[in-house]
Amino acid sequence: MSEVIHFYQTGTFTVGNRLLEANERSLQAQMNRTNSLNSGHRACQGCGEALGARYAVDAAMRATNNNLAAANATGCLEVFSTPYPETSWQLPWFHSLFGNTAAVATGMAAAFRARAKREGREPTRVIAQGGDGGTTDIGFGCLSGMFERNDDVLYICYDNEAYMNTGVQRSSATPPAARTATTMPIGEQPGNQWGQGKNVPLIAMAHGIPYVATATVADLRDLERKVQKAMTFRGARYLHVFVPCPLGWGVHSSQTVTMARLAQQTGIFPVFEAEYGRVTGVSKIRRPAPVEAYLKPQKRFAHLFGKKGNPEVVARIQAMADRNIEQYGLLDPESTDDINPVAAQADVRARFY
């Protein structure tokens, strides 16, 4: 009779992974990982983007037997990993402009196919990488074109919800009410305005491309799995990874994974995957958390709390999270049938406050 291995025993930690068979262990727990984003880069302490990129690119390398090249938009990831004349990348890597990464990756894929056909071998696969600014704003047209043509590229967006590299300015991925350098907490509607921005995973699904998924750095095994699954498809694929930024969000560098986990547990960031425009799976929420647990530790939302707080805005954000939970069917019925939601939220408040 086989022994049941619980998730908390394995997680993403090397010791826990020793409980699993070798082929079931996390890639980062294995000696043959490629370390595609190597040590020596200059990311901030606790950078969610560095963590996400390390796992995502190594997973793509394994899925392609290391036959992979990357195009990278201007932004935090490019700046901290390639301070001239140094680089932390251990694979063929191309720095594109801020807005044309998807187009550059498309050209790279076409060139690799042509060369492979001439040489009679498998073509090098291509991934494109960018932050939310280079993806949802400046590079949106090129990205939509890549989707429409169904080019054989996996595009990975590392979403930290603002232009962090240039001083924490608002992007179209910045959430409502958040403070940035260009959305100050003043006036009748403090912070970022409501009703703006883009939901790029849903826009990608509307193109009918083979694979779309979201992930967070709080579940790195899930991120690895989705990257490897994406590389089994041919055509355009899109992966949107939630990567908290301690500096831009105003949280301690030790809280990166906690913030990503709370974004998923509150329903603020739905984690799902879709094929050809239809949702095929979601990451269920076992114990829903109130949005206050996610918002309150972040200085960018400090104006919503305290003596001059704004409970009405917090309630609107809670309603937005609740709509996500309903729309994607995020609650796990097996885990929540015996849980009183009010009591569960009170328990979360007690643990966090």
Side-chain angles (χ1 to χ4, degrees):
M1 186 174 180
S2 60
E3 181 183 359
V4 176
I5 303 296
H6 298 285
F7 175 78
Y8 67 81
Q9 293 177 284
T10 59
T12 58
F13 303 105
T14 302
V15 173
N17 274 271
R18 291 173 184 165
L19 297 170
L20 300 174
E21 297 296 331
N23 63 344
E24 296 178 338
R25 295 173 187 170
S26 167
L27 174 60
Q28 293 297 321
Q30 299 181 22
M31 291 298 294
N32 62 352
R33 64 184 184 271
T34 53
N35 292 325
S36 302
L37 178 59
N38 213 344
S39 59
H41 61 70
R42 302 181 186 183
C44 298
Q45 188 177 38
C47 175
E49 190 169 29
L51 178 61
R54 177 178 174 83
Y55 274 74
V57 180
D58 274 5
M61 287 284 279
R62 178 165 66 175
T64 59
N65 293 318
N66 297 347
N67 189 21
L68 183 74
N72 208 130
T74 298
C76 276
L77 182 60
E78 169 264 324
V79 169
F80 73 64
S81 64
T82 58
Y84 183 82
E86 304 167 2
T87 180
S88 291
W89 294 103
Q90 308 297 308
L91 81 163
W93 182 91
F94 188 96
H95 173 209
S96 70
L97 298 177
F98 219 143
N100 68 349
T101 311
V104 168
T106 293
M108 291 168 61
F112 288 138
R113 284 197 303 272
R115 186 175 71 176
K117 183 177 180 180
R118 184 174 66 248
E119 297 175 355
R121 60 178 181 81
E122 284 293 313
T124 299
R125 304 295 297 280
V126 177
I127 62 172
Q129 302 183 105
D132 52 284
T135 303
T136 69
D137 289 345
I138 303 173
F140 185 69
C142 289
L143 181 64
S144 178
M146 188 196 94
F147 292 159
E148 186 272 328
R149 294 186 303 269
N150 198 29
D151 296 317
D152 188 26
V153 174
L154 168 60
Y155 192 105
I156 305 175
C157 172
Y158 302 105
D159 181 8
N160 54 25
E161 301 190 326
Y163 289 88
M164 300 304 181
N165 176 55
T166 54
V168 195
Q169 295 88 4
R170 173 200 176 273
S171 79
S172 58
T174 301
R179 172 192 57 78
T180 71
T182 51
T183 58
M184 299 302 290
I186 56 177
E188 295 181 359
Q189 196 175 85
N192 190 36
Q193 292 187 14
W194 289 76
Q196 297 181 340
K198 304 183 186 82
N199 190 323
V200 177
L202 291 186
I203 295 173
M205 288 173 59
H207 286 76
I209 62 176
Y211 186 74
V212 176
T214 64
T216 82
V217 292
D219 191 345
L220 294 166
R221 294 297 295 272
D222 179 63
L223 174 58
E224 284 186 343
R225 180 187 67 81
K226 286 174 176 171
V227 171
Q228 293 183 77
K229 182 175 180 178
M231 297 308 294
T232 66
F233 290 87
R234 292 286 180 168
R237 291 141 287 143
Y238 181 72
L239 181 60
H240 196 99
V241 187
F242 192 79
V243 291
C245 172
L247 181 64
W249 292 17
V251 296
H252 194 273
S253 59
S254 64
Q255 297 300 300
T256 300
V257 170
T258 299
M259 290 296 102
R261 183 176 295 114
L262 282 170
Q264 188 264 337
Q265 290 178 341
T266 56
I268 284 177
F269 185 81
V271 177
F272 67 93
E273 54 188 336
E275 297 178 21
Y276 300 100
R278 299 183 62 181
V279 174
T280 57
V282 300
S283 293
K284 297 289 188 178
I285 300 174
R286 296 185 65 249
R287 287 184 175 268
V291 295
E292 294 99 314
Y294 170 72
L295 300 173
K296 202 166 186 179
Q298 303 179 52
K299 290 183 180 178
R300 63 176 179 163
F301 293 111
H303 56 284
L304 301 181
F305 303 95
K307 292 182 179 180
K308 296 183 179 181
N310 197 329
E312 292 182 0
V313 171
V314 175
R316 291 184 69 184
I317 296 174
Q318 182 66 64
M320 181 178 67
D322 292 342
R323 284 195 299 271
N324 286 338
I325 290 173
E326 180 180 2
Q327 177 181 352
Y328 293 95
L330 298 178
L331 285 186
D332 185 349
E334 294 184 0
S335 300
T336 58
D337 281 347
D338 59 344
I339 296 174
N340 182 308
V342 176
Q345 294 194 3
D347 175 64
V348 172
R349 289 189 178 94
R351 286 188 285 115
F352 282 93
Y353 305 135

